[in-house]
Amino acid sequence: MKKIYKIKERTMLSLYRRAMAVCLLVLVSQACSEDFLDQTNPNSLTTKSFWKNNTQLNQGLNSVYSALKDNDILGIQNESIRTDLAVPSGYRQATRPDEMYFQDFTSNTKYVENKWNALYLGVFRANQVIENYERLAESYTTEAAEEEGLRIYAQARALRGYFYYVLNTSFNNGNVPLVSTVPKNFEDFQKALSSSEAVQAFYRDDLQYGMDNLPKTYSEWESLGSNNLGRITAGACEALMGKSYLTENDFQNAEVYFKSVIENYNYALVEDIATTVTGIAEFNSESIFEINYTTNVNLETTGEESLSQNITYIVFNANIQPSSWLVMKYRSEKPDPADPANINVGADVYNDNGEVIGTEDRMRLYSKRMGDCMGQVDDPDSPMYGVINGEYGNASGVAPFARNRVNMFKKFLHWNTIGGGAGEDRSTLMNNRSGINIPVIRLADVYLMYAECMLEAGNLSEALKYINRIRKRSHLVLLGKSSETGAEFNNLETTYMDDIDFDSSNGQQPVTVQNLMEHLRFTERPLELALEGDRATDLRRWGKFKEQLENLASIKYDYWHYEKNLNGKHGTRFKCFLTLSGEAPATFEGKKVFNQPPEVQDATVGAQKFNESLHAYLPMPQSEIDSNLNWDEFVQ
């Protein structure tokens, strides 16, 4: 027998009156026309006429995958600017308010409501598939039908598990309504809250079922038929299980799942980050769980029926940009001078008039990881859309690097697959839609989460092993010593430094468990996974959310102009380069903007307003409070 406990008293009279009025109206209508209402339209689909076989179950499952595509579920734009990863548009000043960036969001904020609704829509659709499979399971007459039905059921449960994982880590301290069946009447919609622990137990049970009954990887799904590529896998369920324990700082349980993902699924890092986030090779060896988008169908539709995403155009139009702190982190990364991949062979040499006068072989100015993830005006080695960064924006209608676009994210753009500098297709037909898949979990993320578990266990060598695998992929100087137990890259093309900040000028600071943990949190994870991952969850579980926002707000920056004829013959880019206040650009002779405006600081308002109890989680939306009579009760 379930017990319901009141959280607080409040007057419900008006809500009850409204509900009773609706019920009375329904009862009167039924009394007046009972025979008519009992009739079923033979030409319409109902729950009795539709859910009759695996084909229809699979159609229902497709609607669950369609719900997964809602951009608000990941909330890349809003989640990035509420943390330390991004700023909205190109401006930092407090005269352009943004609820998420300013930590002003409430239960009435549109994003809060949209995210909640999108997740519960996915839960509702998954429950439809689950219930109807359970009803049909006894009617299967062949082994093939049984196996197909079971795979459909396992996918629905795994996806429901993911929806509840996001609900639990996003809203109301993890306490949300558990809806495990399709509501049949008014009372079924009035769900009291379940505790965070109960929600976790529920979705972990779903994920465990997916682990036990789904193909392990995308490749295994593809072996069952090419149209299966993109379905959720056992590997994704196991990675999510690990993440679910990590969100609670339960490192021992998390470690078990991450180690299994690393060792038992044949995942492997791809050649560079860009391969995983620009549509070059979707569902590749590094991909564990990604959301599959397309622009090949339904281009004229809107809402959740559109199978594309708009993140590409948010990034391309610089509606979000890397935070200034993140820019400095990318710029300070150390390309390995011994690694041949860092030599730009045949690089153009320019004269003072911007004319190419020859070529040379030279070291990359910035890291490959920065080149894959962030565009900056003075980076000569990582072209965008086929043109050098200093010339980007000269195509018709494409805005250049300038005050409004100081730096640009390159993830989820076609910068390496569409040439000529013309940018993304913005035709009426495309209407700001993109088919680039969005990763939810990839192997690099699992490596870093596993490394965190190893550091918590005091195992420095094992943590370094997995951090350095990721750094080596981007051809960076590696941390620690080549003689360290587990060091994998003992060759003449690899440099190790046992100095946590890679800066010998301030004395050697040998790598320890403590300073490597700080490095993992505030260098490796944000630089590798910017616009990906669960940054708000990480900052919250580390107890660093407000502290990090205050750190961002404490730093001042100077603007610099990038004058013409530096890399080409096009005009000055105004206020397109940031340095720490008082410092000058080291890579070009810039012209300083002496009347430094106050907006060259990040998160000043958000850092002041952030309150752990109000902003570490999103609140329950007001629409749920208004429609759910039991929104303030707990069920156990």
Side-chain angles (χ1 to χ4, degrees):
M1 185 72 178
K2 294 183 177 179
K3 296 182 180 179
I4 297 180
Y5 301 87
K6 269 290 184 184
I7 297 175
K8 58 183 179 179
E9 294 296 330
R10 71 186 182 98
T11 302
M12 299 292 293
L13 184 58
S14 61
L15 286 177
Y16 277 120
R17 283 174 175 168
R18 190 183 312 164
M20 289 301 296
V22 172
C23 291
L24 286 171
L25 179 61
V26 171
L27 288 172
V28 169
S29 298
Q30 288 177 337
C32 293
S33 184
E34 183 175 312
D35 291 340
F36 174 75
L37 292 179
D38 285 345
Q39 299 300 311
T40 299
N41 182 352
N43 298 313
S44 66
L45 285 174
T46 67
T47 55
K48 291 182 179 180
S49 65
F50 179 71
W51 302 97
K52 288 188 173 181
N53 52 50
N54 282 345
T55 298
Q56 292 173 335
L57 278 180
N58 199 49
Q59 290 172 350
L61 180 65
N62 288 341
S63 77
V64 185
Y65 279 104
S66 181
L68 179 66
K69 298 173 190 291
D70 191 301
N71 291 328
D72 287 313
I73 288 179
L74 291 178
I76 290 173
Q77 179 178 17
N78 289 291
E79 294 300 324
S80 296
I81 64 175
R82 70 181 279 232
T83 62
D84 57 351
L85 297 180
V87 294
S89 187
Y91 296 97
R92 274 78 163 167
Q93 76 268 32
T95 57
R96 295 184 63 175
D98 183 291
E99 286 180 295
M100 303 308 295
Y101 186 52
F102 283 10
Q103 309 295 333
D104 262 341
F105 56 86
T106 67
S107 58
N108 286 307
T109 297
K110 199 65 178 174
Y111 168 64
V112 172
E113 179 179 354
N114 289 347
K115 187 182 186 80
W116 177 278
N117 290 344
L119 288 162
Y120 273 107
L121 176 63
V123 169
F124 171 76
R125 292 181 177 180
N127 282 338
Q128 285 186 310
V129 176
I130 290 165
E131 279 194 10
N132 284 286
Y133 164 80
E134 291 171 345
R135 179 176 56 81
L136 291 173
E138 295 181 357
S139 66
Y140 292 127
T141 58
T142 67
E143 185 176 340
E146 289 179 2
E147 291 177 354
E148 181 186 18
L150 181 62
R151 285 194 296 268
I152 293 170
Y153 176 64
Q155 288 173 81
R157 288 194 60 178
L159 290 170
R160 184 177 67 177
Y162 172 67
F163 292 134
Y164 267 114
Y165 165 82
V166 179
L167 282 161
N168 179 250
T169 55
S170 300
F171 288 96
N172 198 38
N173 295 303
N175 308 311
V176 297
L178 265 181
V179 184
S180 58
T181 59
V182 178
K184 305 296 192 303
N185 51 49
F186 179 79
E187 287 73 21
D188 289 345
F189 284 97
Q190 312 308 305
K191 286 287 185 180
L193 299 176
S194 291
S195 68
S196 179
E197 293 76 16
V199 176
Q200 288 167 353
F202 180 81
Y203 75 69
R204 283 172 184 160
D205 189 51
D206 275 349
L207 294 175
Q208 183 65 55
Y209 195 88
M211 286 171 57
D212 295 339
N213 293 282
L214 287 172
K216 294 178 66 175
T217 62
Y218 289 130
S219 296
E220 285 195 15
W221 262 120
E222 201 169 16
S223 70
L224 296 173
S226 59
N227 62 335
N228 288 314
L229 188 60
R231 296 182 183 275
I232 194 166
T233 64
C237 292
E238 185 143 19
L240 283 167
M241 285 284 274
K243 290 192 78 168
S244 78
Y245 284 104
L246 195 69
T247 62
E248 299 300 301
N249 290 328
D250 182 348
F251 300 102
Q252 288 185 325
N253 274 313
E255 173 192 336
V256 174
Y257 291 103
F258 294 144
K259 190 172 182 63
S260 177
V261 170
I262 292 168
E263 295 182 347
N264 296 324
Y265 291 86
N266 296 316
Y267 294 121
L269 295 178
V270 295
E271 183 178 350
D272 57 41
I273 301 170
T275 302
T276 71
V277 291
T278 61
I280 291 178
E282 295 172 336
F283 305 116
N284 57 55
S285 63
E286 185 171 343
S287 177
I288 297 175
F289 184 22
E290 65 185 75
I291 300 177
N292 185 22
Y293 292 99
T294 181
T295 57
N296 292 331
V297 294
N298 292 336
L299 281 176
E300 299 303 321
T301 63
T302 58
E304 61 91 14
E305 293 180 358
S306 178
L307 303 181
S308 59
Q309 48 88 354
N310 66 359
I311 302 304
T312 291
Y313 289 88
I314 290 172
V315 174
F316 176 70
N317 293 318
N319 291 331
I320 53 172
Q321 293 187 35
S323 62
S324 304
W325 160 85
L326 195 65
V327 168
M328 299 302 168
K329 281 284 186 178
Y330 274 124
R331 278 173 21 190
S332 67
E333 289 208 288
K334 303 295 184 185
D336 189 344
D339 193 330
N342 287 319
I343 304 299
N344 189 340
V345 178
D348 288 336
V349 177
Y350 297 86
N351 65 14
D352 290 340
N353 295 319
E355 299 166 339
V356 177
I357 59 174
T359 62
E360 65 179 357
D361 297 346
R362 63 166 183 262
M363 273 287 295
R364 291 185 63 92
L365 184 60
Y366 296 112
S367 73
K368 180 69 165 59
R369 180 153 65 179
M370 172 174 153
D372 283 343
C373 299
M374 186 189 79
Q376 181 164 279
V377 70
D378 69 325
D379 185 352
D381 306 308
S382 304
M384 291 181 63
Y385 300 98
V387 298
I388 198 166
N389 281 7
E391 296 185 21
Y392 177 68
N394 292 300
S396 176
V398 177
F401 287 97
R403 182 185 182 190
N404 292 353
R405 300 159 69 91
V406 182
N407 293 92
M408 289 180 63
F409 284 116
K410 294 169 75 173
K411 289 183 177 181
F412 315 135
L413 300 181
H414 290 101
W415 64 268
N416 53 353
T417 56
I418 295 176
E424 305 293 329
D425 184 346
R426 291 177 291 171
S427 65
T428 303
L429 178 64
M430 292 298 290
N431 193 24
N432 287 355
R433 297 187 179 101
S434 175
I436 294 176
N437 288 4
I438 304 295
V440 177
I441 308 174
R442 54 187 174 92
L443 184 61
D445 190 4
V446 172
Y447 277 0
L448 292 176
M449 291 187 290
Y450 179 69
E452 184 178 352
C453 294
M454 292 297 94
L455 289 173
E456 287 290 339
N459 192 336
L460 179 64
S461 296
E462 187 76 350
L464 280 170
K465 176 180 177 180
Y466 287 93
I467 291 171
N468 280 335
R469 283 186 183 181
I470 292 170
R471 295 185 62 83
K472 184 62 177 176
R473 187 255 292 277
S474 290
H475 312 290
L476 297 162
V477 172
L478 305 189
L479 275 165
K481 303 173 183 177
S482 59
S483 59
E484 188 81 47
T485 302
E488 298 177 305
F489 304 100
N490 295 312
N491 54 58
L492 297 177
E493 296 182 356
T494 304
T495 302
Y496 282 84
M497 285 188 69
D498 191 20
D499 190 351
I500 195 65
D501 64 355
F502 304 98
D503 185 0
S504 58
S505 68
N506 61 1
Q508 185 180 19
Q509 301 175 62
V511 179
T512 65
V513 167
Q514 290 74 27
N515 62 28
L516 186 58
M517 180 69 85
E518 189 76 2
H519 174 87
L520 175 74
R521 291 172 173 177
F522 298 105
T523 299
E524 296 301 333
R525 285 199 67 82
L527 295 185
E528 182 72 20
L529 298 167
L531 302 187
E532 305 175 64
D534 299 318
R535 189 64 175 170
T537 300
D538 287 340
L539 291 173
R540 183 177 65 233
R541 69 184 178 83
W542 295 331
K544 297 284 188 178
F545 214 138
K546 186 173 181 66
E547 177 184 327
Q548 179 66 349
L549 292 177
E550 290 176 335
N551 177 54
L552 267 61
S554 71
I555 306 171
K556 293 185 178 181
Y557 303 92
D558 290 333
Y559 270 136
W560 295 79
H561 299 324
Y562 187 86
E563 296 192 317
K564 71 177 184 178
N565 296 332
L566 198 64
N567 283 330
K569 53 189 176 182
H570 301 287
T572 298
R573 303 298 167 83
F574 294 97
K575 296 185 178 181
C576 67
F577 193 85
L578 289 173
T579 64
L580 291 173
S581 188
E583 297 183 1
T587 59
F588 67 96
E589 187 175 344
K591 182 176 180 181
K592 185 176 180 181
V593 182
F594 288 98
N595 58 334
Q596 176 183 316
E599 65 262 29
V600 194
Q601 282 176 271
D602 292 356
T604 52
V605 176
Q608 182 180 4
K609 289 190 173 183
F610 183 88
N611 182 303
E612 184 77 21
S613 64
L614 298 177
H615 303 117
Y617 285 87
L618 301 176
M620 187 186 304
Q622 189 64 42
S623 58
E624 177 69 15
I625 294 172
D626 290 342
S627 62
N628 185 350
L629 301 181
N630 295 319
W631 72 273
D632 60 348
E633 297 179 350
F634 263 119
V635 60
Q636 292 185 348

